[in-house]
Amino acid sequence: MKIISSERIVVSLTLLIASLACSYYNENSYEQINIELAFVDTGELSVTDIGDHISYVPWETTDESLIGKRAYVRMLKDKLFVGSFQQPIKMFDKETGKYIRTVGNIGQGANEYTLLDNIPVFWIDETSEIIYVQTEGNSVLRFDVNGNPLGSINLPENFPRLTTVSQITAENKLYIYKQTLFNKLDNKILMYDIQNKNIEKYFLNKDEPISTDEFSQLPLIISGFGNIPVSTRCMIFSLKGNRMFFHYTENPCLWAFDKNIYFKEQFNDTIYQVLDSKMEPRFVFNLGDMHCAYEDRFNIEESQNKIFIDYILEGKNVLFFVFHTNYYNLQDAKTYWGIYNKKDKSVKVTDKLQIKNPANGYFAGELQTATSEGQLLGLVDAASFIENTNVDNLRDISEDDNPIVIIVE
């Protein structure tokens, strides 16, 4: 990987000024994840590589509980929550899969929310046990673990609209990440303390902004595009000089694990811990010759055969990450899954996009999210599950049923 010079990163007591490349910190201050070596010998991933136990939960399928397309799942205590195309958020029992109720509803009244690209956007503060739902303007709805309304919070006028950023909430603190492509001196991460109503800013951008005269055409907006299953949409910008870039909404670049907040953004090989006064490097991906130089991140030709990491999920003992090569060439792009074992520091990479379960075959569903305790969650459609696995107590499901939830612990 390429470590940028200290001239581009300045650490102060109140703010870290940094670029979008790797940190200048001493190598001993962070762990390296060596994808370069693992990439030479791609193999298969097993359930035992990512956790000690896997559960399959079939959701009850009725007219009332039917789940739409582009579904994504989250978990809070003994409940599972799912958002999907043109559907309100639905709650199911974690153990039985039985449908319980909707969380709020679609609309513009009290305890109702609008849909972004026809998908409800919600996230969960596991510590405070609160479900947050995006709605219009700077208002955010809140519900308890049973789906009961807790009222809304109104974000400050100078706070970015949540429809344009990625966000998480932990311990009543709302963290957001926004791309700073068009403003040289803009903060990438902001934290709003819901109780104290104050704002903290981190990670100041120092890159030259993209000017409007660099665009070769209007941006293309595609719903549900790319390798990020929880993203509601992608904006594809074409620039002059054979350049382009993708902007994803709801990109899971911020996450909570073990009461800490972590961050990794596009084109940056470093995972940071978000602290009160700085961004501390935690892991760095070593991509070797497949590292894309920061200055070439929008260059179609120079980014060929380079690795771009799409998103990361943190389990109790592992990091699960999705990446692909030929980022801007959709015909030649190839997706990979990877595992980094935090205990023995080993790395495994596969291009098969499936995780084998020796007990019953394999599952090919996407892992979508992780809890702050390190449980990994994903979905697989019923037809694929029936075809590729052999679980005796789940054989009564049909191809038209709701998806199967996968929980790896």
Side-chain angles (χ1 to χ4, degrees):
M1 63 165 288
K2 180 179 179 182
I3 305 295
I4 65 173
S5 68
S6 59
E7 294 178 355
R8 296 186 62 188
I9 300 181
V10 178
V11 181
S12 69
L13 293 177
T14 59
L15 187 66
L16 174 68
I17 300 177
S19 72
L20 289 177
C22 297
S23 155
Y24 76 97
Y25 285 85
N26 185 285
E27 289 185 0
N28 295 327
S29 68
Y30 54 75
E31 296 181 24
Q32 290 203 34
I33 301 174
N34 199 326
I35 297 182
E36 182 183 25
L37 292 179
F39 197 76
V40 174
D41 184 23
T42 58
E44 295 182 339
L45 296 182
S46 170
V47 169
T48 56
D49 292 324
I50 59 176
D52 299 322
H53 176 72
I54 182 171
S55 302
Y56 303 94
V57 183
W59 275 330
E60 179 183 8
T61 307
T62 63
D63 290 342
E64 190 179 24
S65 66
L66 195 62
I67 295 168
K69 299 177 181 179
R70 294 169 52 200
Y72 70 100
V73 62
R74 304 206 187 277
M75 184 168 74
L76 178 58
K77 298 186 74 174
D78 58 348
K79 307 290 195 315
L80 293 167
F81 303 86
V82 62
S84 64
F85 186 71
Q86 295 183 338
Q87 297 289 329
I89 301 162
K90 296 184 179 181
M91 178 194 300
F92 295 83
D93 183 89
K94 174 190 170 185
E95 300 298 327
T96 65
K98 184 175 178 59
Y99 171 72
I100 300 174
R101 63 179 296 186
T102 63
V103 178
N105 219 319
I106 300 169
Q108 296 182 333
N111 305 314
E112 293 182 336
Y113 42 87
T114 56
L115 302 182
L116 179 62
D117 295 294
N118 284 312
I119 300 288
V121 175
F122 73 101
W123 60 98
I124 290 173
D125 184 336
E126 295 172 54
T127 304
S128 302
E129 298 183 359
I130 295 176
I131 303 160
Y132 289 83
V133 186
Q134 206 179 90
T135 186
E136 288 188 327
N138 275 26
S139 178
V140 186
L141 297 178
R142 299 186 302 166
F143 299 86
D144 67 17
V145 66
N146 296 312
N148 299 312
L150 297 175
S152 62
I153 60 171
N154 293 311
L155 301 176
E157 288 297 324
N158 60 339
F159 202 78
R161 294 203 169 212
L162 296 187
T163 54
T164 64
V165 300
S166 301
Q167 69 286 308
I168 64 166
T169 308
E171 298 183 321
N172 286 307
K173 295 180 179 180
L174 172 64
Y175 296 82
I176 66 101
Y177 161 75
K178 59 178 180 176
Q179 287 194 329
T180 54
L181 297 167
F182 311 111
N183 190 337
K184 182 175 181 177
L185 296 177
D186 199 1
N187 292 93
K188 298 175 184 294
I189 298 177
L190 279 72
M191 184 276 288
Y192 176 66
D193 190 315
I194 295 171
Q195 292 182 331
N196 297 329
K197 302 186 184 306
N198 64 296
I199 299 175
E200 298 289 340
K201 300 178 181 181
Y202 311 88
F203 220 38
L204 184 65
N205 179 46
K206 294 291 288 184
D207 297 305
E208 291 301 322
I210 296 174
S211 62
T212 55
D213 58 7
E214 291 185 69
F215 290 91
S216 61
Q217 62 185 47
L218 292 175
L220 178 65
I221 301 175
I222 302 178
S223 298
F225 173 83
N227 278 343
I228 302 177
V230 299
S231 178
T232 55
R233 78 171 109 152
C234 177
M235 298 182 68
I236 301 178
F237 296 83
S238 296
L239 305 176
K240 296 176 182 178
N242 199 29
R243 296 180 302 148
M244 68 189 307
F245 66 90
F246 299 160
H247 168 59
Y248 289 96
T249 58
E250 315 313 321
N251 188 335
C253 56
L254 285 161
W255 68 92
F257 176 75
D258 196 23
K259 298 184 179 180
N260 295 317
I261 304 298
Y262 298 104
F263 166 70
K264 183 200 171 299
E265 71 177 338
Q266 255 182 335
F267 312 116
N268 188 344
D269 298 339
T270 304
I271 296 175
Y272 296 94
Q273 181 179 353
V274 182
L275 298 173
D276 289 340
S277 59
K278 61 182 177 179
M279 303 282 288
E280 183 74 27
R282 181 187 179 207
F283 297 107
V284 172
F285 287 93
N286 182 354
L287 308 181
D289 291 339
M290 300 192 75
H291 165 74
C292 182
Y294 178 70
E295 59 269 20
D296 294 329
R297 65 198 184 282
F298 301 145
N299 190 312
I300 296 175
E301 184 175 342
E302 295 298 327
S303 64
Q304 293 298 307
N305 298 314
K306 304 298 184 181
I307 288 176
F308 293 85
I309 297 172
D310 296 296
Y311 69 99
I312 298 168
L313 302 178
E314 183 157 8
K316 183 177 181 181
N317 298 318
V318 301
L319 297 179
F320 171 82
F321 51 94
V322 175
F323 66 95
H324 65 259
T325 56
N326 297 314
Y327 190 64
Y328 298 116
N329 189 337
L330 301 184
Q331 291 182 339
D332 296 330
K334 187 171 182 179
T335 302
Y336 297 83
W337 293 355
I339 292 290
Y340 174 69
N341 189 303
K342 293 185 287 185
K343 288 187 174 181
D344 64 20
K345 318 304 180 189
S346 62
V347 182
K348 289 187 177 182
V349 170
T350 184
D351 61 355
K352 301 184 185 303
L353 307 190
Q354 62 189 42
I355 302 178
K356 301 198 74 170
N357 185 347
N360 56 23
Y362 69 90
F363 70 85
E366 293 177 307
L367 293 176
Q368 296 183 339
T369 189
T371 69
S372 61
E373 295 181 351
Q375 299 156 307
L376 304 178
L377 284 80
L379 293 175
V380 59
D381 66 86
S384 177
F385 186 85
I386 293 171
E387 179 182 356
N388 296 312
T389 59
N390 181 22
V391 182
D392 292 336
N393 63 338
L394 297 179
R395 300 311 298 174
D396 57 343
I397 63 175
S398 73
E399 294 183 355
D400 296 325
D401 281 353
N402 275 332
I404 309 299
V405 184
I406 301 162
I407 305 174
V408 183
E409 303 176 271

